[in-house]
Structure formats: C-alpha cells, structure tokens
Amino acid sequence: VLFAVLNILGATQVGRIQVVLGGILLAVFTIFIVAGLVRPNGFQWSTFAAGESVFIGRSFWHNLSLMLGTIALVYNAYVGFEVIADDAEEIIEPSRNIPMGILVSLTLCTLIYVLVAFVTLGTVPWQELAGSETALTDAVGHFLPTIGVPMMGLAGMIATLTSINSAMLSATREAFTLSRDGVWPHSLARLSRFRTPYVAILVTAAVSALIAVIGLVDFLSYISSAGYLFVLFWGSLSMIRLRKRFPTIERPFKAPFFPLTAYLAGATCVLIIAFADGRALLFGGGVLILFTLAYYFSPVISRLVKDQMTALEPHHDLILVVAGNTRTARSLVHLGSILAQASEDTYMCVLSVEPRASIQERRAKLVLRDTPHSSKRVEPLIRRRSLRERFLLSEVAHEALMRNVALYTKSRVAPSVAHGILDEIAERDNVRLVLAGWPTPLEPEMLSTSIVKELILRAAPDVAVLLDRGLTQVQRILVPLGGGPHSRMALRLAYEIAAAENAEVLVLQVMTSTCDIEEFEDHCMQLEEIIAEVLGEVPPAFGLRVIESGSILGGILAESTRRPYDLIVIGASEEWASDDHLFGAIGDRIATMASCSILLCRRHEPVTLARLRHSIKLLERGPVITETTSMESAPLQPLSRAIQEPAQKRTLAPDKEERWREPEQEG
C-alpha cells in the first residue's frame, strides 16, 4: 500500500525511496563482505575448498542438468535491470543514462552476489547450507554474533521492498503502455492529476499483495524466471527483425557483436527454460494460451455482447456535429439542438478532428533535438486535445443545455479530417445526421479535396451543411421543393426546425414553363400530397406557393428577396454525385447568391443510383435543360420576371397564401 501511494504520487518519490533503500542495502552487504573476510570465525579457505569435488553427480550431463536447473531457479536474481529501459519516458538523457544504469547496476550486483556467496560458503560448510533457507544469517552469526542476524534480517526485508518498488514501477509502466496501444484494457491507461497511471498501479499492487499472501517462493521464482526468459527470447529475435524492417532508423543503444549477441541470448533462454520446474512451465503455458485466446477472441466477444446490449436497450439517435472552429460549432450546435429536441431520444456529439500531419509538424517545431528535458516541451501537445475538448464543450454546451439536449465533445487524430469523421461514423450504428459547415470559399478545382464533398460522397448517414449568415433565430423558412428524396429530407428538417422555433414555412415550387390556372392548381395539390406523405399532414404553419420563372434558380432567388427569410432549406439535386458540384448546380449557386443562411441536405443514397437518376432526367428533359436551369445564364432576367408576375398566377391555393400573409397584414 505504501509503495502504491508513492507510485501514484510520481516517479520522483519512488526514485528517492529506491536510492535510500538501495544505499542501506549496499551498506549492509559491504559490512557483511568486509567483516566476513577480516573478522575471526569468518571466511576460511579450508572451509570453502572442502568437499569431494565441484560436480558431485553421476555423470557430466547429469551435473550439467543440475546446474541449468539451478540457473533457472536463481536467474530471477539477475533480472530487473531492464526496468530502467521501461522507464525511458521519465529519464533525462535516456540515450546516455539507460545503458550506463543497466551496465553499472548489473556489474555491481554480480560482484556483490559473487562476494556474498564466496564469504558465506567460506564461513559455513556447504553440508550445513544445503538444506538451509537462512544461509546469510547462518553465516553472519559466526563473525557478527550480536548485531549480524538482525542486520541481515533487516537487509532481507529492505531487499524485498526494493524489489517491490522497482517491479511496481516497471509493471505499471508496461501496463500503461500496453493499454495505451490498445492491447490491454484502456482503463489501465488512465492518469491521475499527478500524471501517473493510477489504475495500473492499483491493479499491480493488488496482484503483488495476492502473491505475498500465497507464498510458494520457489514456484513463483520459477514462473518469474521463465516469464522473463520468454520475453527476452522474443525481444532478442525482435532486434533482428526490426533491424531488417527499419535499417535506417536512429539507434541510440548499441548491441556488441550484433546479430550474434541476439542469437546467443535467444538460444540461452530456450536452454534455461527447458530446465525450469515442470509445474511452472505448465502454469506459464496455460497463462500464455489463456491470454492468447483472449487477445484474438475478445474483439469478437465484445462485438457480440455490444450487439446483444444494443438489441436490448432502446435505440438513441446521434447527431454528429463536425466542428472546424468554435464559431461554426456554435451555429451548428444551435441548429443541431433544434433538430435533436424535435426527435425523441436523440443526443449530439461535437467532433473535432486533427490531421496527424499537423500534429507531427507542430511536434517537430516544439521538440529541440539533443536538448535535455526536451520531453517537457512536448507535454503541452499531450494535453492539447483534452483542453481543446473542454474549451469547445464550454463554448457550445449552452445551446444544448437551453433545450435539454444531451451533448458531449470528442476529438480524434486521423490521417485527414474526412478520414476521422468517416471513421467515427463507421464505429457507430446510430448516427442519424451529420451536420457540417459550408466550406467557403469553394472553387471548382478545390472540390476534389473538400471535406464536405468526401462526406457527401462517402458518408452513410444523411448529411446537412449549414452556410451561416448570422442564424440567431428562425422565424421564416423557405423550402424549395422538387419532389426528389433530398428535397423531402429538406422538408422534414424544415418541419422539425419550425416546430421547435414556432416558425413559418413556405414550400415553394418553381415552374419553368407557362401554365394556366388549372395547371397551377394541379401543382399545388401535388405539393400538398408530397407534404402529407412526408409529414402525415399539412401543418398549419406551412404555406404553399407555385411561381412561374424562366429558371428554377431565378425563381428561388426571387422568392428569397420578396420576404425576409431567416433560413433556406434545400435538398441536393441529382448532380451532387458529379465531380463539378457539391449539392448540385442550383444548390451551390443559391448558397453563394442568397442573402440569408442556407441549409443544404443530402439524403443517403448510393452514388451510382444518383448518377443513374441524373442521367435519366437529362434524357427526359433533352436539350431544354440547358435553357431552364443553366447556371451560366444571368439570373437577373428570371428574377425580374418572377417578381413582376401577377399574384393570381403565382397562387395555387388562396387559403394557404392568405394564411401565409396574415402576419404581414397584422404588421
């Protein structure tokens, strides 16, 4: 518990405690070695050299197997130096200090181990030590009878504490790295306010406590040694593999006699593992098989559980708001909140995507090569995404809270903004609508690289793009209706906005050919049928208008100037799937020429189907299409003609027109 708290407080505190404990341990072993060599009843060469021979077995191979089995048991005493490399992210000048730390500590510990064994075997006959579990206190009692035994008992406890401290520091950082990379559960990567992986530390502390309760020192030592050797074996082979895959990468750590060193290390590991305790090998193999199965089958099981839970739980729709900056995000969240409020069980996600290339560019500018403490300069980059999420949430949350709509923000890194948005959509199955901002200015040559164009072409959910020209409140909405699937989506969105804002909606249809009164009435009845089909009825706030104009574009623009509209909601034409337009020729031109805010909609349909429908419509219209809807013709003549048309020709349903004009007369 003490070392868990210290690890949570930070690596600096752990390092200071380790230095103090390690210093005490070195002092105790120094006293043991020096006193054992110089004091009476200490080391005696005759005692050390007593015995029949070094090898007391029946044959050379039998003796070798006994030695290798002993190595497999005591190898655990020679591991732990690699934890220095595990903590590379928290070490100053790692290219210099990590190799020095490993080599100095390994040499020092090897020297201490050999001298302690030398003094012990020269003080107490090996026959007495063979069955003893307290060999050091047995030896120190000969030359330091008063203080020796408690001193070595204290040293044993301190050695255990230093092992716990260093192992916990290493294990928590390994668990943090594996969970951060997605191999282990993501919860282990959570950081405390001290910037330490507190969940991984608590889990490691619990496992350590459980092992302490169980005991079984030899068995656990075999398991630990075999595990380290297994890791070292694959680590040695990975050195060779990485050298082949990335031959030009900078390598601050050098392995002498490479690749011979790696091959020898791997072969030695296999040899020693083969002589470990059979029960330990079975236990380690079982653990390995268990976690291998968990690694490969957990995604499948998680997906099945998720699908099952999704089937049991009520479905909640999501409106995904693409936030390029806080200004556009505020307008989009305002509109998204209206749409979410109109639908039951709908919430919003404000997504910001940062291209990976821009992060790497900023990191390259911030990090100073070969500069001490350069890792501290990168720290703002690590916190930037979370700070950006909190700032964005504080800026836009008010709009959602006013309408009691659930909202959260999310940021992700992707190769491009479009990739990030599409990946977010692919990870979910409840995205009802994608709201994005208009990509102004939009030139024809920029269409192929436009984020909105990629969303329109590739996004599975419906897509709506807002061109905001000061949309603070919505009182009047204009919906040009063509009858296609996209204009029906525009009608639905306009209805939801009007219901939430108590706004009036004018549904407009533009005729490009001369019609008599009966034909106007037929078109008005057709409009009513479309609205009733989409909405179930013609809402009281809806007005209908059929006008005659030389072009569809001119008629829509003429109506947009006749009254002060707050918002025009228009669906895409069949040209949205072409490479020359975003939402089609009419929608693109209205977006650039109208004076109020524009909401352009694209209902989800395959691109091939849209192109087929566009081709069929071109064949049906013939060459007349270029005269009525060509965007190359000047819009002024159709505009003036639409405005000057007599009212009786423009009105198909007088009752609807009168209902629409009532607010104007009262004003």
Side-chain angles (χ1 to χ4, degrees), residues 431-559:
V431 179
R432 167 195 163 199
L433 178 68
V434 179
L435 269 179
W438 181 263
T440 52
L442 186 63
E443 303 297 334
E445 60 271 9
M446 299 171 58
L447 271 177
S448 59
T449 58
S450 171
I451 299 168
V452 174
K453 185 64 176 178
E454 283 203 58
L455 289 179
I456 294 173
L457 290 174
R458 299 173 57 190
D462 298 339
V463 177
V465 176
L466 175 66
L467 175 54
D468 182 23
R469 291 192 173 104
L471 185 67
T472 56
Q473 60 179 356
V474 181
Q475 294 181 343
R476 292 189 179 94
I477 304 173
L478 175 61
V479 184
L481 193 64
H486 310 296
S487 61
R488 293 169 184 248
M489 173 188 170
L491 188 65
R492 166 64 66 179
L493 293 181
Y495 169 73
E496 293 177 352
I497 297 171
E501 296 288 277
N502 196 23
E504 298 171 338
V505 179
L506 178 65
V507 181
L508 176 71
Q509 189 171 62
V510 180
M511 305 301 302
T512 57
S513 59
T514 303
C515 302
D516 55 25
I517 296 298
E518 292 183 359
E519 289 176 325
F520 269 96
E521 291 178 353
D522 290 340
H523 284 292
C524 188
M525 291 179 60
Q526 186 180 6
L527 275 183
E528 289 183 344
E529 291 176 0
I530 294 175
I531 296 173
E533 178 187 345
V534 175
L535 305 179
E537 62 175 353
V538 180
F542 272 56
L544 308 180
R545 189 175 180 85
V546 178
I547 64 173
E548 185 180 302
S549 178
S551 71
I552 297 176
L553 173 64
I556 296 173
L557 291 175
E559 179 60 36

Side-chain angles (χ1 to χ4, degrees), residues 5-49:
V5 172
L6 291 175
N7 273 269
I8 292 175
L9 294 178
T12 303
Q13 286 73 14
V14 175
R16 290 170 180 169
I17 294 294
Q18 193 74 356
V19 167
V20 172
L21 295 178
I24 296 174
L25 203 56
L26 285 175
V28 170
F29 280 128
T30 302
I31 294 173
F32 178 87
I33 294 169
V34 173
L37 292 175
V38 301
R39 286 183 63 84
N41 300 325
F43 178 82
Q44 301 292 329
W45 184 260
S46 57
T47 304
F48 179 78

